[in-house]
Amino acid sequence: MNVTRLLHVVWFFLALVVAGLFVIEGKPAQTLVWGFSAVVAATFFWKSLEDDATEA
């Protein structure tokens, strides 16, 4: 696993934790923003896996 993938994984889990904290506080707008950030991180991670498959 290269550094970029590791950063995507860290970003994903950090965004999930922050979104969870906003759910607890009852702030739906911030929850949506951080939830979307987690989706973006997962998409970038998935795209990096696809890029490696095409290069091999």
Side-chain angles (χ1 to χ4, degrees), residues 5 42-56:
R5 282 194 196 139
T43 303
F44 285 161
F45 179 76
W46 188 263
K47 181 66 178 155
S48 73
L49 291 176
E50 289 178 353
D51 289 344
D52 280 356
T54 56
E55 290 175 5

Side-chain angles (χ1 to χ4, degrees), residues 15-33:
L16 284 182
V17 167
V18 173
L21 292 174
F22 281 124
V23 166
I24 292 170
E25 291 182 6
K27 297 182 178 179
Q30 287 89 349
T31 301
L32 288 174
V33 168

